[in-house]
Amino acid sequence: PPIILYKYSETRAGDNAVDFLHGFKGYLMCDGYSGYNKVPDAKRTACWAHIRRYLTDAIPKGKALDYTQPSVQGMLYINQLFHLEDVIRSKYSSFDAIKKARLEKEKPVVEGFLSWLDQQSPIRGSRMDKAVTYIQNRRSYLSTYLEDGRCSFSNNLSENAIRPFTVGRKNWLFCDTPNGAQASAIVYTMVEMAKANGVNVYHYLTYLLEKLPDDRMSDDELELLVPWNETVKAEIERRANESNQSYVNCQGAPATEK
């Protein structure tokens, strides 16, 4: 099931990631921050959206269609990968099929991009130099996503999920202290997790307030309250339907004269 989980930490030190992902084994999609390398059993994958962002910044003004520009050439490879990813994701639902299609369609493009990368010798200190350095430093992660159809191609999902938090903290009260940030993280977790699993947020929060889960509950007890639990989903759907019906009845009630 889709899980969106927020945790606040006062610094971005790599040890925070180690603590947060303790016991996790698998692929880790994140930005280029080297602190994530400390997570012992996680295999890093590179975010192609970040790669594209650096190359976009390196395109000289007014030269976006000038294919003699190295940055534009690099973008052609990446745009093709994004297009293929959209096509494959829309066509296949099984992870094995996605992996097979990626290896057939995307792997040659990735290899072509890496060959192009090795031919670059930008002016030192230029934006293209910054882009090439960024990409070369993450070269070993660029092809990792091809190993498993479950792997993400970019970090866009996580960045989209964190956007409400980063925008909200500038506007909501009590977000200017560590305790306030931690409380916000808990609330955002409940809201965004409900949305990710297609559960009505209002009725799910009401349901949780009735159950009052806390850290003294066992994992089995908490499992009965998660938004992907079929019993919970059925209950929230029932409440939402009843609420909608009540609204319709109220709106449709004929006016009466006293």
Side-chain angles (χ1 to χ4, degrees):
I3 296 175
I4 298 177
L5 182 61
Y6 298 86
K7 183 180 184 300
Y8 170 77
S9 58
E10 295 188 36
T11 71
R12 207 186 178 200
D15 290 337
N16 291 317
V18 173
D19 177 62
F20 184 56
L21 296 174
H22 176 71
F24 169 77
K25 295 182 179 181
Y27 294 94
L28 176 60
M29 165 59 72
C30 50
D31 60 25
Y33 177 50
S34 61
Y36 293 116
N37 292 333
K38 290 186 175 182
V39 182
D41 296 314
K43 191 167 186 178
R44 291 282 301 274
T45 62
C47 172
W48 281 89
H50 278 79
I51 303 297
R52 180 171 64 177
R53 197 174 303 162
Y54 272 80
L55 282 175
T56 300
D57 292 342
I59 297 176
K61 188 175 182 180
K63 299 289 186 178
L65 298 178
D66 183 354
Y67 300 120
T68 64
Q69 296 291 330
S71 51
V72 176
Q73 296 168 5
M75 286 292 295
L76 292 177
Y77 287 100
I78 296 179
N79 288 340
Q80 179 68 3
L81 286 175
F82 270 91
H83 170 70
L84 289 171
E85 189 68 13
D86 287 341
V87 171
I88 291 172
R89 286 286 186 178
S90 64
K91 188 175 181 179
Y92 303 105
S93 56
S94 80
F95 297 128
D96 287 340
I98 291 174
K99 176 184 176 180
K100 182 178 178 180
R102 280 174 168 175
L103 291 174
E104 178 184 347
K105 304 292 185 182
E106 296 183 21
K107 185 179 179 181
V109 182
V110 173
E111 292 174 343
F113 176 78
L114 294 177
S115 177
W116 165 86
L117 182 66
D118 289 336
Q119 299 172 27
Q120 302 311 306
S121 54
I123 298 174
R124 188 168 185 177
S126 65
R127 286 181 295 178
M128 187 60 185
D129 180 50
K130 183 178 180 181
V132 168
T133 300
Y134 178 89
I135 300 170
Q136 288 284 19
N137 287 342
R138 288 147 189 85
R139 184 190 184 100
S140 60
Y141 311 140
L142 292 177
S143 301
T144 309
Y145 82 100
L146 297 171
E147 297 178 5
D148 196 309
R150 294 170 296 179
C151 287
S152 298
F153 177 69
S154 75
N155 200 36
N156 285 343
L157 283 174
S158 294
E159 294 202 352
N160 289 338
I162 200 67
R163 188 166 290 113
F165 200 120
T166 56
V167 173
R169 69 185 178 188
K170 300 177 181 178
N171 300 290
W172 314 143
L173 292 174
F174 316 120
C175 282
D176 57 349
T177 66
N179 286 340
Q182 192 61 264
S184 295
I186 295 172
V187 174
Y188 272 100
T189 293
M190 293 187 290
V191 170
E192 295 298 326
M193 197 112 72
K195 288 164 61 177
N197 285 274
V199 172
N200 182 286
V201 175
Y202 171 80
H203 291 290
Y204 182 62
L205 292 178
T206 302
Y207 180 78
L208 289 181
L209 287 170
E210 293 171 1
K211 302 298 181 180
L212 292 178
D214 57 44
D215 56 7
R216 291 171 295 181
M217 286 185 170
S218 66
D219 287 347
D220 290 338
E221 290 175 309
L222 292 172
E223 182 69 26
L224 299 176
L225 302 177
V226 294
W228 59 83
N229 183 291
E230 291 302 324
T231 302
V232 173
K233 296 183 78 168
E235 172 61 17
I236 302 306
E237 184 176 4
R238 182 190 68 78
R239 295 186 183 199
N241 289 337
E242 286 185 357
S243 178
N244 290 337
Q245 188 61 43
S246 297
Y247 176 79
V248 170
N249 290 339
C250 179
Q251 292 294 309
T256 57
E257 295 183 2
K258 293 184 179 179

